[in-house]
Amino acid sequence: MAVERSESKLEFAVQMSCESCANAIRNALAGIDGIHSVQINLSEEQVLIDTTLTSGEVQALIEGTGRRAVLKGMGTSTLRDLGTAVAMLGPEGPVQGVVRFLQLSEQQCIIEGTIDGLSPGLHGLHVHEFGDLTNSCLSCGGHYNPGKNRHGGPLDAERHVGDLGNIHANELGRATFRIQDDRLKVWDIIGRSVAVDSGEDDLGRGGHPLSDVTGNSGESLVCGIIARSAGLFQNPKKICACDGVTLWEERDRPIAGPDRKKPTEAPAANL
């Protein structure tokens, strides 16, 4: 049975300086299935969107107009802040991406993200017990399983809380996903980790000795620590006071290190 997709509200900062910029964004988002409302504040360079699409899908639509967009916050359409979190996967190595978590209600959590560099096909996605990357993904522990249950699929009555099933990578190696889950709670997973595995999770039905433990989905290819992130209107940042890197430059630079201050060429906005 298909689960009805719940709506979330996304807050983007968008490089725009004129009404024609705002109109281009409105036109790019108009009539798109899954986008239900768009509010643009030109003076604040802010775009608010009610949608059932992933933030990556919406960002791609906005940037298709030639303007840079940065996600600043996620929330519910009722503006109740029940918790948001994010995990950056990588950034070193061929597999990289981001996974975001939004607690819609006491019963529903949205997990959405974009992962690049995967082999085409299905890959297991799991929340792990520890946020410890001292030995890469090997030190993240097992799947988050406070109930001491066997491994299963997202819709199974018995499963690890961290069992999120599979994500699908296309022929280019990109997986874009949006999952709704009624077990995961953002407040329980802050400081833990999320990982993408090399193979398909058999959801505990494969008959392999590891089916009841890991879904026999192979080694973790990439992982990241789950950290608290900004909700709606909670991120006023436009420039990093510590090193002067702007909001627009930051997405193309490492979090730290000598390359952070190197200039980068941003695509010119179409005015």
Side-chain angles (χ1 to χ4, degrees), residues 194-248:
V194 61
V196 178
D197 293 342
S198 60
E200 178 182 353
D201 187 331
D202 67 19
L203 310 182
R205 301 174 177 87
H208 189 276
L210 292 176
S211 292
D212 287 348
V213 182
T214 66
N216 192 31
S217 53
E219 65 177 348
S220 294
L221 293 175
V222 67
C223 49
I225 297 173
I226 301 169
R228 193 177 305 278
S229 65
L232 293 172
F233 317 120
Q234 294 179 348
N235 181 7
K237 179 180 174 182
K238 293 186 177 180
I239 188 168
C240 182
C242 59
D243 55 20
V245 175
T246 70
L247 178 72
W248 312 111

Side-chain angles (χ1 to χ4, degrees), residues 98-179:
V98 60
V99 180
R100 301 182 186 277
F101 303 83
L102 170 63
Q103 196 70 39
L104 284 177
S105 67
E106 294 282 343
Q107 293 77 34
Q108 288 291 325
C109 181
I110 288 178
I111 305 98
E112 62 118 274
T114 301
I115 312 294
D116 286 310
L118 297 168
S119 60
L122 295 174
H123 297 266
L125 178 72
H126 309 103
V127 171
H128 286 250
E129 187 175 5
F130 306 124
D132 180 358
L133 305 184
T134 54
N135 191 19
S136 188
C137 301
L138 295 175
S139 50
C140 291
H143 298 170
Y144 177 49
N145 183 25
K148 309 302 181 186
N149 296 317
R150 66 185 292 276
H151 181 81
L155 300 181
D156 291 343
E158 184 180 1
R159 52 164 264 209
H160 305 153
V161 172
D163 292 344
L164 299 176
N166 290 293
I167 58 176
H168 181 267
N170 63 19
E171 65 278 4
L172 299 177
R174 165 167 285 194
T176 300
F177 56 92
R178 191 179 197 268
I179 301 165

Side-chain angles (χ1 to χ4, degrees), residues 20-66:
S20 64
C21 301
N23 287 335
I25 293 167
R26 288 191 188 95
N27 291 336
L29 300 177
I32 299 296
D33 188 27
I35 293 182
H36 304 136
S37 73
V38 178
Q39 302 172 57
I40 298 178
N41 186 326
L42 182 58
S43 63
E44 295 294 326
E45 295 186 301
Q46 179 193 69
V47 179
L48 289 175
I49 300 163
D50 289 302
T51 183
T52 56
L53 301 181
T54 70
S55 59
E57 289 170 323
V58 176
Q59 182 172 333
L61 289 169
I62 295 174
E63 294 196 331
T65 69

Side-chain angles (χ1 to χ4, degrees), residues 7-24:
E7 188 175 276
S8 58
K9 188 179 285 289
L10 306 178
E11 178 192 3
F12 284 92
V14 181
Q15 277 187 310
M16 52 185 176
S17 57
C18 58
E19 192 59 43
S20 64
C21 301
N23 287 335

